[in-house]
């Protein structure tokens, strides 16, 4: 279907652009992965760009949905642009995704400069593209020509010389980027040897092509990915092998908040480093979000620059995304701890004899027969699920995972059969899309529509990998369905509920997703919720405490169960920063 052109760059244009960019990167993802040779030939640039764009698009959609819910019309340009930048920042993956996030942030700083403006024109787009290219270059510790930075600068230069509306400027930027991309093999020897253009630059051209389509309704012509030497690189070519995965040292501890995770990360890293390559590049990619002030980040840049390479630090206003390749992963995390509060820490081991050090293909890791992939709302539950053998995806309050993250987790589980537990009713469609994508890759996926982490715990408790797949899924589904779930949370604003009108600060008790109790005290409200749930019977109560739960609430509820409900057992877990004050499950 032809795209309806946008005349001005307004909130709708931002939304349209994000959607088209995501679609374009989705089409080009495998192609971009296959030509990825710089800075590390790890075959994931296309995937990283796609996941970054998906996070940006989801954030923009959330802004539009919020305005629709309040009948307040469409958002302002500034709101949509800031959402795009924030979504890209928190979802940025890899070197290329981190740079894309900074490019979008640079554009948003110009587009959102006047918070009341409803739209901008060709001149505004020119300024936005220029600031984007400059800010991305500043975010990279040692810019290298022949990369996405070169392509971005060329796009901004070409746009700067264009006169006319947004469509004219966008097309000039695209043409400039396309020309620069074709020249990248002459600027980087590794690209010339492989016979390909820069993968990150190819991804940016796709994003700019989506910008052209946004304002003209026309899809730009295809972009060649070979350098013209005749040595086209495809997945599986000898000497330039696409690596489908890494040895990931991601664990609940590594994905958790600091300082709790720091000890585990720092203790594990030296041992892992001993297995890293002796030469040819750092052994680890380290990525984390960081809450810190500007001065601390400036010191962090200097510290990380001395530890490794491919250093990119993007963001601002107290929130940053840090990316670096190092041999000492522990030191990179420790530097973040000293600068502020790092979280969503992800450490990937490129692996001994990896393609970026030798060019040789790594023996494929044997697939497991079956795995469980689960979305969990807090670090404590991530640890619990992982101990039970599940691969976890952390969902922080207000930051639900995108379908690409779930697909990535399914791939990381490296199994022929996967049971997917979304643990959130709002993730049903996201999980379904992820399952469908994984099935196209030859993985057998069963989606159990768990609506709470406590239902997921019940399903995982009866999981038996030795059973036939269908039987295992039936038993897990039955256990989840037999578990009633509730949560105790604090209202953020006044609103209508099934139990009446609540005010900001009220304590809400939700049973099976609906507000059943409105109170002023967490313990009293939790007891009322528990009594309602146990009035229908039960054998086991599961309590998952969030960081904000009162210390005494678990003891009080356990005593309540012992005194009033015979033959009912209680188990208590610590969930960490999970959004809800308390999760309750009754089986």
């Amino acid at each position: 279907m032809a795209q309806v052109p946008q005349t001005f760059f307004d909130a709708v244009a931002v939304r349209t652009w994000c959607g088209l960019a995501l679609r374009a990167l989705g089409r080009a993802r495998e192609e971009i992965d296959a030509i990825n040779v710089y800075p590390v030939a790890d075959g994931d640039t296309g995937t990283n760009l796609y996941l970054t764009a998906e996070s940006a698009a989801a954030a923009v959609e959330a802004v539009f949905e919020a305005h629709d819910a309040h009948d307040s019309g469409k958002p302002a340009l500034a709101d949509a642009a800031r959402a795009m930048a924030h979504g890209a920042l928190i979802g940025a993956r890899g070197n290329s995704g981190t740079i894309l996030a900074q490019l979008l942030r640079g554009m948003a700083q110009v587009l959102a400069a006047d918070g009341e403006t409803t739209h901008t024109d060709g001149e505004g787009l020119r300024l936005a593209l220029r600031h984007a290219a400059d800010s991305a270059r500043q975010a990279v510790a040692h810019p290298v020509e022949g990369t996405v930075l070169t392509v971005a600068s060329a796009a901004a230069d070409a746009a700067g010389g264009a006169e006319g509306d947004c469509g004219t400027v966008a097309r000039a930027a695209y043409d400039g980027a396309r020309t620069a991309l074709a020249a990248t093999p002459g600027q980087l020897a590794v690209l010339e040897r492989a016979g390909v253009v820069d993968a990150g630059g190819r991804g940016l051209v796709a994003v700019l092509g989506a910008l052209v389509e946004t304002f003209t309704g026309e899809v730009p012509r295809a972009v060649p990915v070979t350098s013209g030497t005749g040595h086209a690189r495809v997945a599986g070519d000898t000497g330039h092998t696409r690596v489908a995965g890494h040895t990931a040292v991601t664990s609940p501890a590594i994905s958790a908040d600091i300082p709790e995770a720091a000890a585990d990360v720092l203790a594990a890293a030296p041992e892992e480093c001993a297995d890293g390559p002796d030469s040819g590049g750092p052994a680890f990619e380290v990525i984390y979000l960081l809450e810190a002030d500007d001065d601390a980040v400036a010191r962090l840049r200097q510290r990380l620059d001395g530890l490794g390479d491919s250093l990119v630090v993007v963001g601002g206003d107290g929130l940053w995304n840090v990316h670096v390749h190092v041999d000492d992963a522990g030191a990179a995390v420790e530097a973040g701890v000293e600068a502020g509060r790092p979280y969503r820490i992800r450490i990937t081991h490129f692996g001994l004899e990896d393609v970026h050090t030798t060019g040789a293909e790594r023996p494929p890791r044997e697939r497991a027969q079956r795995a469980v992939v689960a979305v969990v709302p807090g670090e404590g539950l991530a640890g619990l699920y992982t101990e039970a053998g599940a691969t976890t995806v952390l969902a922080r309050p207000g930051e639900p995972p995108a379908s690409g993250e779930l697909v990535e987790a399914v791939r990381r589980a490296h199994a022929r059969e996967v049971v997917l537990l979304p643990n959130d009713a709002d993730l049903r469609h996201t999980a379904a899309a992820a399952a469908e994508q994984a099935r196209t890759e030859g993985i057998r996926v069963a989606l159990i529509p768990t609506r709470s982490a406590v239902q997921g715990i019940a399903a995982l408790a009866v999981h038996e990998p030795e059973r036939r797949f269908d039987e295992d899924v039936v038993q897990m589904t039955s256990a989840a369905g037999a578990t009633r779930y509730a949560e105790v949370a604090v209202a953020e604003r006044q609103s209508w509920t099934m139990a009446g009108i609540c005010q900001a600060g009220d304590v809400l008790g939700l049973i099976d997703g609906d507000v059943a109790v409105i109170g002023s005290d967490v313990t009293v409200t939790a007891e009322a919720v528990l009594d309602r749930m146990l009035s229908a019977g039960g054998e086991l109560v599961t309590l998952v405490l969030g960081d904000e739960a009162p210390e005494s609430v678990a003891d009080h509820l356990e005593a309540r169960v012992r005194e009033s409900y015979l033959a009912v057992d209680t188990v208590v877990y610590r969930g960490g920063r999970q959004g809800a004050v308390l999760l309750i499950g009754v089986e």
Side-chain angles (χ1 to χ4, degrees):
M1 181 181 296
Q3 175 63 37
V4 178
Q6 302 296 315
T7 305
F8 296 104
F9 209 153
D10 59 3
V12 173
V14 172
R15 183 189 202 182
T16 302
W17 180 34
C18 286
L20 291 174
L22 183 62
R23 189 172 71 182
L25 289 170
R27 289 195 300 262
R29 179 181 64 81
E30 292 186 1
E31 170 195 290
I32 296 172
D33 282 345
I35 65 170
N36 174 200
V37 298
Y38 183 86
V40 176
D42 46 3
D44 62 0
T45 290
T47 299
N48 288 336
L49 287 168
Y50 179 84
L51 292 174
T52 304
E54 185 178 47
S55 184
V60 174
E61 285 300 318
V63 169
F64 272 84
E65 289 173 4
H67 278 71
D68 288 343
H70 293 88
D71 294 324
S72 54
K74 71 178 182 180
L77 172 60
D79 294 336
R82 291 191 188 107
M84 172 185 69
H86 181 72
L89 178 66
I90 64 174
R93 298 299 184 92
N95 188 74
S96 55
T98 307
I99 293 174
L100 176 61
Q102 186 66 6
L103 287 166
L104 296 180
R105 176 179 170 80
M107 292 190 69
Q109 287 175 324
V110 173
L111 298 175
D114 184 350
E116 300 302 318
T117 300
T118 59
H119 65 270
T120 191
D121 54 13
E123 173 64 18
L125 180 55
R126 282 195 294 273
L127 294 174
L129 290 168
R130 178 79 271 161
H131 187 64
D134 293 345
S135 61
R137 189 170 287 269
Q138 292 166 7
V140 177
H142 301 285
V144 174
E145 297 307 325
T147 66
V148 62
L149 298 176
T150 304
V151 176
S153 294
D157 291 343
E163 297 292 336
D165 59 13
C166 288
T168 302
V169 173
R171 187 174 293 282
Y174 174 80
D175 290 341
R178 195 173 186 274
T179 300
L181 177 67
T184 55
Q187 297 170 292
L188 270 179
V190 65
L191 299 179
E192 184 64 31
R193 287 195 299 270
V196 298
V197 297
D198 178 66
R202 169 65 182 92
L204 179 58
V205 169
V207 172
L208 292 173
L211 189 64
V212 173
E213 187 177 358
T214 298
F215 292 114
T216 68
E218 301 172 4
V219 180
R221 60 188 183 279
V223 178
V225 298
T226 61
S227 64
T229 62
H231 300 97
R233 177 170 182 258
V234 296
D237 279 355
T238 303
H240 299 293
T241 306
R242 176 185 170 198
V243 179
H246 302 300
T247 302
V249 289
T250 304
S251 69
I254 292 176
S255 296
D257 281 347
I258 296 298
E260 290 84 352
D264 292 334
V265 174
L266 300 179
E271 180 179 352
E272 291 288 342
C273 284
D275 294 330
D278 294 328
S279 62
F284 296 95
E285 178 183 61
V286 179
I287 305 173
Y288 49 80
L289 291 178
L290 177 71
E291 293 178 357
D293 59 35
D294 291 359
D295 291 339
V297 170
R299 294 190 295 271
L300 175 66
R301 289 178 190 269
Q302 294 180 343
R303 174 90 179 271
L304 293 179
D305 193 26
L307 289 175
D309 58 30
S310 296
L311 173 60
V312 186
V313 181
V314 304
D317 302 320
L319 181 63
W320 308 81
N321 192 305
V322 179
H323 170 281
V324 67
H325 293 173
V326 293
D327 278 324
D328 190 344
V333 176
E334 184 180 44
V337 175
E338 293 176 358
R341 190 182 76 87
Y343 60 98
R344 281 197 178 184
I345 302 167
R346 184 175 178 84
I347 300 176
T348 301
H349 187 197
F350 291 124
L352 187 65
E353 302 293 325
D354 206 349
V355 64
H356 82 294
T357 58
T358 68
E361 183 172 2
R362 188 170 53 191
R365 180 163 57 99
E366 182 66 25
R367 283 187 179 273
Q369 181 60 33
R370 189 173 309 159
V372 175
V373 173
V375 180
V376 290
E379 297 83 2
L381 282 179
L384 173 67
Y385 272 74
T386 303
E387 287 175 10
T391 298
T392 61
V393 178
L394 194 62
R396 295 183 176 276
E399 299 176 11
S403 64
E405 292 180 80
L406 300 187
V407 173
E408 187 181 58
V410 170
R411 294 176 183 138
R412 195 167 72 243
H414 205 64
R416 299 180 181 88
E417 302 167 340
V418 172
V419 180
L420 182 56
L421 306 175
N423 292 339
D424 186 337
D426 291 337
L427 288 178
R428 181 182 58 183
H429 297 301
T430 301
E436 188 61 32
Q437 172 62 36
R439 291 182 188 116
T440 66
E441 300 177 12
I443 304 171
R444 188 179 184 188
V445 181
L447 171 61
I448 298 179
T450 49
R451 295 179 289 175
S452 171
V454 291
Q455 288 189 321
I457 292 173
L460 202 54
V462 301
H463 168 54
E464 291 186 12
E466 303 306 318
R467 270 196 301 237
R468 289 179 55 247
F469 185 60
D470 292 341
E471 292 177 0
D472 197 28
V473 171
V474 168
Q475 292 299 320
M476 294 176 72
T477 303
S478 178
T483 302
R484 299 191 68 197
Y485 66 96
E487 68 176 74
V488 177
V490 177
E492 297 181 357
R493 64 182 69 85
Q494 182 189 64
S495 61
W496 290 88
T497 76
M498 296 288 290
I501 300 175
C502 73
Q503 305 296 327
D506 282 349
V507 180
L508 307 180
L510 295 88
I511 299 177
D512 293 339
D514 292 324
V515 176
V517 179
I518 300 175
S520 58
D521 179 82
V522 170
T523 302
V524 173
T525 303
E527 181 179 318
V529 169
L530 188 56
D531 284 340
R532 289 199 184 194
M533 297 179 75
L534 287 173
S535 65
E539 298 175 354
L540 176 65
V541 171
T542 300
L543 303 175
V544 183
L545 306 179
D547 281 346
E548 298 178 357
E551 289 295 327
S552 61
V553 66
D555 291 339
H556 180 88
L557 295 178
E558 284 186 286
R560 176 67 176 172
V561 172
R562 278 196 311 270
E563 295 167 3
S564 304
Y565 303 96
L566 299 178
V568 177
D569 294 325
T570 305
V571 60
V572 180
Y573 301 110
R574 294 280 175 179
R577 297 179 66 227
Q578 62 184 25
V581 176
L582 174 68
L583 300 178
I584 303 173
V586 173
E587 301 176 46

